[in-house]
Amino acid sequence: MATNIPYIELANGVMIPQVGLGVFRMDDEQVLNSVKWAIESGYRHIDTASFYDNEEAVGKAIKESGIDRKYLFITTKVWNNIRGYDETIAQFNNSLQKLGLDYLDLYLIHWPAAGFEENWRAMEDLYKAGKIRAIGVSNFKAHHIEQLLKTATIAPMVDQIETHPYLQETDLHEYLQEKHIAHESWSPLGAGLNKVVDNPVIKELAEKYRKSPAQIILRWHIQRGEIVIPKSTHENRIKENIDLFDYHFDLTADEMTKIATLDSDQRVGADPDDEEFLEKSTTYTNQNNAK
């Protein structure tokens, strides 16, 4: 199936598909099926992490897809239990081996836990060595990025943060634009936890455009210039989540403003400034022992 997913140019010229598949909290069988359906539907961007403990399954699904590696965009992340230059290099090589790849398209620091500057120093060298096409961060607020930039020689190209209509991160969004850092949204639909898909404003727009509430929300992200990585283990929803680019499906300025009024600073995940969470998270090795 041909894809009409647009690409966004990162600060270094690398092109990233604006819609990808997230695989958080998927077991191996779910990953194999979801990645298969996604690639068949036209996705070329898959987002995983060492913390998800499913990089091997992602690698297997990629191999089984038969798609030439150069047409895929693969992201993984280094978790908070890994700090230090040598440790980051080792973790990167471990992830690469699990994925069955010889390079990564994007490597991210998963959270701004203490010591992330040394992660970044290692990632800069991996980037310079051609092992990673782009490097970035995840869950970094503006002050975390400013702290990183004090020692960095290369600025992050992406910041992957929780974003949805109930947590729009408008100030951070504008900061990232000013810094030429791409805004990538995780939990773009609220992870099914905040019921944003049931909001009357969203449902009214869904009826108007004959789209699902999820498609309205994803289209809102797209028109803000964000990269989105919605997760699904259902084939029909995986297909639905990239059916966003019909010539007649374009939210008006007034409709974008209506959705903007829904912002309530309501998180479904941890706050990156929660020091207790960040400290505790360094004791986890994967999502299965994060209690």
Side-chain angles (χ1 to χ4, degrees), residues 4-8 16-20 45 163 173 177 183 185 188 214-230 241-246 249-251 256 259:
N4 59 349
I5 297 174
Y7 282 67
I8 284 180
I16 180 172
Q18 198 171 1
V19 183
H45 175 186
T163 320
H173 180 79
Q177 286 183 317
H183 177 169
S185 165
Q215 288 171 310
I216 296 297
I217 294 169
L218 292 172
R219 182 69 203 181
W220 169 78
H221 285 286
I222 294 296
Q223 289 184 217
R224 288 181 95 207
E226 298 171 27
I227 303 155
V228 290
I229 46 169
N241 287 344
I242 57 166
D243 184 17
L244 308 171
F245 306 104
D246 319 4
F249 185 27
D250 195 19
L251 299 174
M256 291 292 288
I259 296 175

Side-chain angles (χ1 to χ4, degrees), residues 118-184:
E118 281 299 284
N119 294 103
W120 192 253
R121 191 166 69 88
M123 289 163 62
E124 287 182 330
D125 285 350
L126 289 165
Y127 172 73
K128 291 172 186 174
K131 288 290 189 177
I132 312 170
R133 297 178 65 226
I135 51 178
V137 294
S138 181
N139 300 300
F140 274 49
K141 294 188 177 183
H143 71 89
H144 297 122
I145 294 173
E146 289 297 318
Q147 181 179 337
L148 179 62
L149 291 176
K150 290 177 182 177
T151 55
T153 61
I154 301 170
M157 295 146 198
V158 172
D159 189 8
Q160 185 183 117
I161 56 175
E162 179 186 344
T163 320
H164 43 74
Y166 289 166
L167 183 73
Q168 299 186 18
E169 293 285 22
T170 303
D171 289 345
L172 181 52
H173 180 79
E174 292 174 358
Y175 169 85
L176 295 174
Q177 286 183 317
E178 291 169 4
K179 293 289 186 180
H180 305 290
I181 300 170
H183 177 169
E184 185 171 23

Side-chain angles (χ1 to χ4, degrees), residues 56-254:
E56 287 186 56
V58 169
K60 184 178 179 184
I62 291 168
K63 186 175 181 180
E64 290 179 354
S65 75
I67 296 290
D68 192 316
R69 167 68 181 97
K70 68 184 178 183
Y71 297 123
L72 297 173
F73 193 100
I74 310 300
T75 301
T76 193
K77 313 174 193 77
V78 58
W79 183 246
N80 309 345
N81 64 319
I82 303 295
R83 288 296 181 263
Y85 181 93
D86 292 338
E87 292 83 353
T88 304
I89 300 288
Q91 180 61 50
F92 168 81
N93 288 327
N94 187 43
S95 287
L96 208 61
Q97 182 179 21
K98 286 183 175 181
L99 288 162
L101 303 176
D102 54 11
Y103 70 91
L104 269 182
D105 297 284
L106 179 62
Y107 199 40
L108 305 177
I109 299 175
H110 210 146
W111 287 88
F116 59 74
E117 293 89 346
E118 281 299 284
N119 294 103
W120 192 253
R121 191 166 69 88
M123 289 163 62
E124 287 182 330
D125 285 350
L126 289 165
Y127 172 73
K128 291 172 186 174
K131 288 290 189 177
I132 312 170
R133 297 178 65 226
I135 51 178
V137 294
S138 181
N139 300 300
F140 274 49
K141 294 188 177 183
H143 71 89
H144 297 122
I145 294 173
E146 289 297 318
Q147 181 179 337
L148 179 62
L149 291 176
K150 290 177 182 177
T151 55
T153 61
I154 301 170
M157 295 146 198
V158 172
D159 189 8
Q160 185 183 117
I161 56 175
E162 179 186 344
T163 320
H164 43 74
Y166 289 166
L167 183 73
Q168 299 186 18
E169 293 285 22
T170 303
D171 289 345
L172 181 52
H173 180 79
E174 292 174 358
Y175 169 85
L176 295 174
Q177 286 183 317
E178 291 169 4
K179 293 289 186 180
H180 305 290
I181 300 170
H183 177 169
E184 185 171 23
S185 165
W186 64 261
S187 285
L189 303 173
L193 298 173
N194 62 11
K195 306 299 182 187
V196 66
V197 293
D198 295 329
N199 184 280
V201 170
I202 302 298
K203 292 178 83 170
E204 181 183 341
L205 290 171
E207 289 180 18
K208 172 186 173 180
Y209 287 99
R210 297 183 180 179
K211 293 287 187 179
S212 71
Q215 288 171 310
I216 296 297
I217 294 169
L218 292 172
R219 182 69 203 181
W220 169 78
H221 285 286
I222 294 296
Q223 289 184 217
R224 288 181 95 207
E226 298 171 27
I227 303 155
V228 290
I229 46 169
K231 168 201 168 179
S232 182
T233 57
H234 303 282
E235 185 175 8
N236 62 320
R237 289 182 186 165
I238 288 170
K239 291 179 178 178
E240 181 183 280
N241 287 344
I242 57 166
D243 184 17
L244 308 171
F245 306 104
D246 319 4
Y247 70 92
H248 66 280
F249 185 27
D250 195 19
L251 299 174
T252 67
D254 284 346

